[in-house]
Amino acid sequence: MNGAQNNMSHYTGIILKLESDRAIVLTDGLDFMELKLKPGMQRGQHVIFDESDLYSAGLITRYKSIIMPFSAFAAAAAVFLVILFSLRFVSISQEYAYIDVDINPSIGLVIDKKEKVIDAKPLNNDAKPILDEAAPKDMPLYDALSKILDISKKNGYINSADNIVLFSASINSGRNNVSESDKGIQEIISTLKDVAKEAGVKFEIIPSTEEDRQKALDQNLSMGRYAIYVKAVEEGVNLNLEDARNLSVSEILGKLNIGKFAISDTPADSGIMPAISVPSEPVPSVTPAYTAVP
């Protein structure tokens, strides 16, 4: 019995389809076989099997004359799909956090856990030439933001003390628990502060949630612009979605009481995390003068 088992041929292949009681496999020899369905089988899974695992012993003979002309194409397609899904999974798994930068150009950055930029995209037309020149992909976040701010200054988007740069950040909650997300967002905020102070620009930072980030994407807005828009609606301020998309950050914030965004703690019932307002320079303390009365 053992000798018979040892002489049994072994096959390897990729599962293409699962049915109620069987799995259809494309073998490395470009043949299609049906296996008995077993727990844990998944589409795209690489399997090793022998004749005892076959659903029907005569299956390969019946199918071979019909599908052999298409085997090479099917094999190439199956391998391509497996590679495609694998690359997409790797890309998603690297996405640690999302950073949006609003001046008037709006730019979206994706970083990994080491704060390296793995993707960058313009969120409006003004951002395209800045991104083309900055080429921030594969840069550390600090260097990428420094370059973006320098180019924005050179192109006249940051030209006075009245300009405000709005940063917004969100952790990829699908990869991190609450404590890791809190720690991660604080580290990113620290980097954003350092960059802005070094560049000598006024800035606001708005931490965001994954849910609010998705809502912002649905409205074709950055996380920061979306947070300001929602706050304006809550406060009854006349700011529509087109204004939120197209006005500069300074113009948008000019419609609101900026002090309402300078909140250090997040209200428990708030759907949007408030901005952390950080002045670019410390405000000097002033000692009031007193006049002595004889």
Side-chain angles (χ1 to χ4, degrees):
M1 183 67 179
N2 290 335
Q5 287 179 343
N6 291 334
N7 292 329
M8 194 173 293
S9 298
H10 286 79
Y11 305 89
T12 59
I14 296 174
I15 297 177
L16 298 183
K17 184 179 180 182
L18 296 176
E19 296 185 353
S20 59
D21 58 350
R22 70 192 78 179
I24 297 177
V25 175
L26 176 65
T27 70
D28 293 346
L30 305 184
D31 294 315
F32 288 84
M33 293 186 175
E34 287 185 347
L35 305 183
K36 301 169 188 174
L37 189 65
K38 295 181 179 179
M41 282 186 168
Q42 302 177 27
R43 289 179 60 186
Q45 183 180 20
H46 199 83
V47 292
I48 301 174
F49 59 95
D50 55 37
E51 293 174 4
S52 66
D53 298 307
L54 295 179
Y55 182 82
S56 173
L59 178 70
I60 185 170
T61 304
R62 295 199 307 271
Y63 282 2
K64 199 166 185 177
S65 61
I66 301 173
I67 61 180
M68 274 302 290
F70 305 101
S71 293
F73 174 78
V79 171
F80 172 77
L81 288 174
V82 170
I83 294 173
L84 180 65
F85 287 130
S86 298
L87 291 176
R88 177 60 182 154
F89 176 78
V90 171
S91 175
I92 292 174
S93 66
Q94 288 180 336
E95 294 181 1
Y96 176 69
Y98 311 93
I99 316 293
D100 289 347
V101 185
D102 293 293
I103 307 164
N104 183 26
S106 293
I107 294 171
L109 303 176
V110 183
I111 62 173
D112 63 15
K113 199 160 188 177
K114 295 181 179 179
E115 291 196 5
K116 183 182 78 172
V117 177
I118 59 175
D119 194 18
K121 59 184 178 181
L123 302 181
N124 58 15
N125 291 331
D126 290 334
K128 292 179 181 178
I130 292 179
L131 267 185
D132 290 342
E133 185 175 350
K137 191 172 180 180
D138 296 327
M139 285 185 183
L141 177 61
Y142 185 98
D143 295 343
L145 291 175
S146 296
K147 197 166 185 180
I148 288 170
L149 293 179
D150 286 343
I151 295 171
S152 298
K153 286 180 181 179
K154 184 181 70 175
N155 291 352
Y157 292 112
I158 304 175
N159 53 19
S160 72
D162 295 330
N163 287 116
I164 298 175
V165 178
L166 178 65
F167 297 109
S168 44
S170 172
I171 296 291
N172 184 357
S173 59
R175 295 190 64 244
N176 305 279
N177 57 39
V178 175
S179 62
E180 288 176 343
S181 295
D182 289 343
K183 180 182 177 182
I185 200 71
Q186 292 304 322
E187 291 174 348
I188 291 170
I189 287 172
S190 178
T191 300
L192 298 178
K193 289 179 186 178
D194 292 342
V195 171
K197 289 177 181 178
E198 180 66 25
V201 298
K202 289 184 177 180
F203 62 96
E204 294 289 326
I205 302 174
I206 300 181
S208 186
T209 64
E210 186 73 19
E211 180 183 1
D212 290 328
R213 174 178 173 270
Q214 188 56 55
K215 290 177 181 177
L217 290 174
D218 293 341
Q219 296 296 338
N220 196 26
L221 288 170
S222 68
M223 292 180 283
R225 288 177 181 268
Y226 176 76
I228 293 174
Y229 167 74
V230 172
K231 194 69 175 177
V233 171
E234 290 176 356
E235 299 295 332
V237 175
N238 184 21
L239 181 72
N240 57 40
L241 282 170
E242 284 304 310
D243 289 339
R245 289 190 189 100
N246 300 317
L247 294 179
S248 70
V249 172
S250 299
E251 289 173 318
I252 294 173
L253 293 178
K255 293 176 175 286
L256 300 169
N257 181 354
I258 190 65
K260 292 182 179 180
F261 288 89
I263 303 171
S264 58
D265 295 322
T266 305
D269 58 347
S270 173
I272 296 177
M273 297 180 71
I276 299 175
S277 181
V278 184
S280 57
E281 295 181 358
V283 179
S285 59
V286 177
T287 304
Y290 292 92
T291 302
V293 179

